[in-house]
Amino acid sequence: MRRRGLRISLCFMWGVLMMMVVIAGCASSEPSWTDFVGSAVEKNFPVPKEANQTETALNNSKMDYVHYKLTGLQESNEIPEAYEKVIAEWGWKEKTEESTGTTRVYEKGKQIVQLTLHDNSFTVLVPKKEEKMVIQGLESSP
């Protein structure tokens, strides 16, 4: 009888251990960098499909931005090479002279996008273009 209880306990512990291994395997902390969709603020700028949108500011007078949560990113690291490759494939070119620290500035045609890395998240920001109005003055004639 005592052996049977020991077997049941061992089977139970083995089952719990297997469940922990499966759960740990499913909770990967690294993004896959394989599937991308357009950003919420600029549909032509790629973001990883597995990133979760957490905050958005649209129709701001100076900028539009969206903040995404993506476990595994580190502010102290560079943008992952696979992500940089996809950004280039989507037609964006980095403006290295304007990129600083954890913020990268990209350009496609006349559109500008800023990508900033944070720990376990990133922000895509689209600055608004300043529209300059031309005001013509009256010229006095002699």
Side-chain angles (χ1 to χ4, degrees), residues 9-131:
S9 294
L10 287 174
C11 285
F12 178 75
M13 289 186 338
W14 178 254
V16 169
L17 180 64
M18 291 284 84
M19 286 177 58
M20 289 174 57
V21 168
V22 169
I23 290 171
C26 292
S28 173
S29 63
E30 289 295 317
S32 66
W33 305 111
T34 56
D35 295 322
F36 295 85
V37 296
S39 169
V41 291
E42 175 53 56
K43 297 296 182 197
N44 292 315
F45 190 83
V47 295
K49 191 173 186 178
E50 58 200 299
N52 295 315
Q53 185 176 328
T54 60
E55 181 182 348
T56 305
L58 301 174
N59 301 320
N60 185 311
S61 64
K62 295 188 183 220
M63 69 183 145
D64 291 334
Y65 74 88
V66 61
H67 190 81
Y68 293 94
K69 181 177 179 179
L70 187 62
T71 304
L73 281 180
Q74 295 299 314
E75 185 173 340
S76 59
N77 295 345
E78 294 289 320
I79 295 172
E81 190 176 319
Y83 191 19
E84 283 184 340
K85 182 180 176 188
V86 170
I87 292 169
E89 287 173 357
W90 283 41
W92 293 89
K93 294 185 177 156
E94 183 177 357
K95 296 180 74 172
T96 53
E97 66 279 359
E98 293 183 28
S99 297
T100 58
T102 60
T103 299
R104 298 288 177 257
V105 179
Y106 295 94
E107 180 178 41
K108 182 176 181 180
K110 293 183 179 182
Q111 189 65 20
I112 301 289
V113 169
Q114 295 177 7
L115 175 67
T116 304
L117 292 184
H118 313 283
D119 289 337
N120 297 312
S121 65
F122 64 97
T123 302
V124 177
L125 182 141
V126 178
K128 298 269 178 116
K129 294 179 183 143
E130 291 183 32
E131 295 184 27

